[in-house]
């Protein structure tokens, strides 16, 4: 049953990255935080999960791994004239997350976007908590947490509405980041959302090394 569900998820996550067209010109610093829309140099759009610094002092952020490939340029959807402000530094397709290196000279990191504030990182959400996500397509939507129904200590199911372009957005309980948006089962906004636990991402980053190790959100 788990294998069948994951196959459905794998077929679905690819549809969560949208497309857009924007310009790329020099401009002042842009504001980015968990829930901001981001645009890749091929025109695909996703949502930033969170932004902050790693242990080396590099400004980094996270999004979904299926959004793009390593080396892809990243710009702000809200400020397209700023041009490229970051680069996909690492992509993990299995856990479906990516690390973005940002240019600190171009980006102003914030902990609140829309209706969502991130003040810290927590353990995976459990039933019957209420979790919310912030996405560039649907804004903030909330729903019941079903929890780790796959018993993998990796994926959490929630009844949160997500649509194309919301991929990578933060999933929070209160102001605590617990997961990011990866996909949904069967039907968007009806079938449960499936998100990778952020603590699982940080564990993987620590083992791998490189960009993102020791991450702390703004």
């Amino acid at each position: 049953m788990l294998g069948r569900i994951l196959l459905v998820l794998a077929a679905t996550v690819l549809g969560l990255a949208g497309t857009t067209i924007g310009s790329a010109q020099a401009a002042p610093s842009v504001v980015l935080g968990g829930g901001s829309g981001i645009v890749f140099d091929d025109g695909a759009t996703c949502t930033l999960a969170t932004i902050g610094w790693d242990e080396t002092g590099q400004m980094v952020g996270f999004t979904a791994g299926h959004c793009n490939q390593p080396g892809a340029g990243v710009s702000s959807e809200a400020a397209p004239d700023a041009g490229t402000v970051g680069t996909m530094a690492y992509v993990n397709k299995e856990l479906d997350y990516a690390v973005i290196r940002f240019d600190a000279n171009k980006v102003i990191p914030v902990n609140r976007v829309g209706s969502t504030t991130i003040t810290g990182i927590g353990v995976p959400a459990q039933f019957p908590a209420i979790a919310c996500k912030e996405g560039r397509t649907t804004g903030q939507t909330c729903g019941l947490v079903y929890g780790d129904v796959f018993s993998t200590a990796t994926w959490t199911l929630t009844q949160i509405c997500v649509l194309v372009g919301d991929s990578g957005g933060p999933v929070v309980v209160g102001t605590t980041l617990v997961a990011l948006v990866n996909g949904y089962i069967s039907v968007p906004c009806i079938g449960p959302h499936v998100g990778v636990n952020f603590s699982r991402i940080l564990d993987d980053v620590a083992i791998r090394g490189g960009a993102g190790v020791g991450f702390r959100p703004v």
Side-chain angles (χ1 to χ4, degrees):
M1 183 62 178
L2 171 58
R4 182 179 179 183
I5 291 176
L6 290 178
L7 284 175
V8 172
L9 171 62
T12 302
V13 293
L14 295 177
L16 282 178
T19 58
T20 190
I21 297 175
S23 58
Q25 301 174 359
S29 296
V30 299
V31 176
L32 288 174
S36 295
I38 52 177
V39 184
F40 298 93
D41 48 18
D42 63 359
T45 58
C46 276
T47 302
L48 186 65
T50 183
I51 191 169
W53 297 269
D54 65 15
E55 65 180 12
T56 69
Q58 169 71 49
M59 185 183 293
V60 297
F62 291 80
T63 191
H66 66 266
C67 289
N68 223 290
Q69 303 297 323
V74 180
S75 62
S76 165
E77 184 175 28
D81 289 344
T84 300
V85 297
T87 304
M88 291 279 266
Y90 174 78
V91 174
N92 184 313
K93 294 295 186 180
E94 182 179 356
L95 294 179
D96 196 25
Y97 78 88
V99 182
I100 302 171
R101 283 195 183 97
F102 285 107
D103 185 341
N105 294 317
K106 297 181 179 180
V107 176
I108 301 171
V110 297
N111 71 350
R112 181 176 178 86
V113 173
S115 300
T116 299
T117 300
I118 297 172
T119 59
I121 298 168
V123 297
Q126 305 293 327
F127 177 87
I130 299 297
C132 299
K133 79 95 185 53
E134 190 76 35
R136 52 82 59 192
T137 303
T138 57
Q140 188 187 74
T141 57
C142 303
L144 180 68
V145 174
Y146 299 124
D148 183 18
V149 299
F150 297 153
S151 297
T152 63
T154 299
W155 308 98
T156 293
L157 267 66
T158 57
Q159 195 60 51
I160 294 176
C161 175
V162 297
L163 293 176
V164 172
D166 289 332
S167 288
V171 177
V172 299
V173 174
T175 61
T176 301
L177 179 65
V178 295
L180 58 77
V181 173
N182 295 104
Y184 53 81
I185 296 174
S186 186
V187 181
C189 298
I190 297 177
H193 158 257
V194 182
V196 61
N197 297 325
F198 204 77
S199 58
R200 179 71 175 86
I201 291 174
L202 293 185
D203 287 344
D204 185 72
V205 170
I207 293 171
R208 170 183 54 81
V213 172
F215 175 75
R216 62 189 191 282
V218 60

